[in-house]
Amino acid sequence: MKKTILICLLTLSSFAAQAQQTAIAPYEMFSIYELYNLQTGAILQDNFTEYAMIDLDGDGRKEIWVRTDDHKTQAVFSDCETDVNLIAWTDEKFEEVQLYKGAACAIHQRPDYTLLQFAILQHSIPATWLEVEETPNGSTYKLNNERISAKKGEKMLKKIGFKHADRYFKNIYWLPIPEDLQPKE
C-alpha cells in the first residue's frame, strides 16, 4: 500500500512539475535561432525540437534550455524581459552542456585535455566567466579572461557544486517546440 501511494505521489509531482512549464513564445524562438547562429558562428543543421524552462540562479526568471532531436546540439539562454542572452552551448568544440546552481557549463573533452567554460549568472545574465583547463600537468583557471589562483578557482567551483558533481537540475521536463515556431525551410 505504501509503495502504491508513493508511486501515485511521484506521478502527481511529475505532472505538477510539467504543468509549471510555460509555453515558449514565438519571439523567444526567433531570438534563440538568431543568437545561436550569430554568437557561435555555426549554422544549425537541425532545428531545436525540445525545450525546458529552468531557473538557474533562483531569481524567479526562467532560463530556456533547448536541444535537437539527437541531443547533440544544445543551448541555454536567459530571457531578461528585454533581451535573450546565450549562456552555454554545444557546437564543433563543446560537446556537452551541464547545469549547476547559478551556472551553466560548456565542456570540451579530449583524452589528455578538458576545457570547462562556466557562465555564472547574476539576475539571469552571465556576470562572470570562469574557464578551467585541466591537463595531466594540472589545472589552470581564468576569471573573465584573467588568470587566477587554483585556490580561488577551486573555491568558485565548490560554490556552484561542480567539485561534488552536484548538478542542480536532475529531473528536467522537456517539452516539444511546436512546429509553427520552427524556421521555415
Side-chain angles (χ1 to χ4, degrees):
M1 180 69 172
K2 287 182 183 180
K3 187 176 181 179
T4 305
I5 292 172
L6 181 61
I7 291 171
C8 289
L9 287 174
L10 288 173
T11 304
L12 287 174
S13 67
S14 172
F15 287 130
Q18 287 179 357
Q20 289 176 0
Q21 292 282 10
T22 52
I24 197 161
Y27 84 91
E28 288 171 323
M29 278 312 301
F30 175 78
S31 297
I32 282 170
Y33 279 104
E34 290 295 308
L35 196 56
Y36 182 88
N37 290 336
L38 179 68
Q39 287 198 336
T40 66
I43 304 279
L44 284 171
Q45 300 302 311
D46 296 312
N47 289 337
F48 292 119
T49 57
E50 297 177 303
Y51 74 99
M53 303 294 267
I54 49 181
D55 184 3
L56 278 176
D57 57 353
D59 67 352
R61 295 185 192 141
K62 300 266 182 169
E63 282 71 50
I64 305 163
W65 190 1
V66 293
R67 65 186 184 186
T68 56
D69 257 345
D70 61 7
H71 306 175
K72 287 184 181 177
T73 306
Q74 301 180 29
V76 180
F77 296 86
S78 63
D79 184 13
C80 301
E81 296 173 15
T82 58
D83 260 344
V84 174
N85 299 292
L86 181 58
I87 299 170
W89 61 93
T90 58
D91 59 11
E92 305 84 40
K93 184 175 182 179
F94 295 101
E95 300 91 13
E96 186 179 2
V97 169
Q98 292 181 354
L99 304 181
Y100 297 91
K101 186 175 183 180
C105 179
I107 301 172
H108 175 65
Q109 286 188 303
R110 292 292 174 260
D112 61 341
Y113 173 84
T114 299
L115 176 63
L116 307 162
Q117 287 190 338
F118 293 89
I120 300 172
L121 305 181
Q122 183 175 20
H123 305 297
S124 292
I125 297 173
T128 306
W129 296 92
L130 176 64
E131 185 175 282
V132 181
E133 291 182 31
E134 297 175 343
T135 67
N137 298 329
S139 298
T140 57
Y141 301 85
K142 289 183 183 175
L143 182 62
N144 297 329
N145 265 344
E146 303 268 330
R147 196 159 177 164
I148 61 172
S149 71
K151 185 176 181 178
K152 185 174 182 178
E154 292 292 322
K155 185 177 179 181
M156 293 181 76
L157 291 175
K158 186 176 180 182
K159 184 177 180 181
I160 61 174
F162 180 76
K163 281 298 172 185
H164 305 291
D166 185 21
R167 291 191 187 160
Y168 191 46
F169 297 94
K170 294 179 175 93
N171 297 318
I172 296 179
Y173 297 100
W174 292 93
L175 299 171
I177 296 173
E179 290 219 11
D180 62 332
L181 298 183
Q182 301 291 349
K184 306 294 184 241
E185 293 186 37

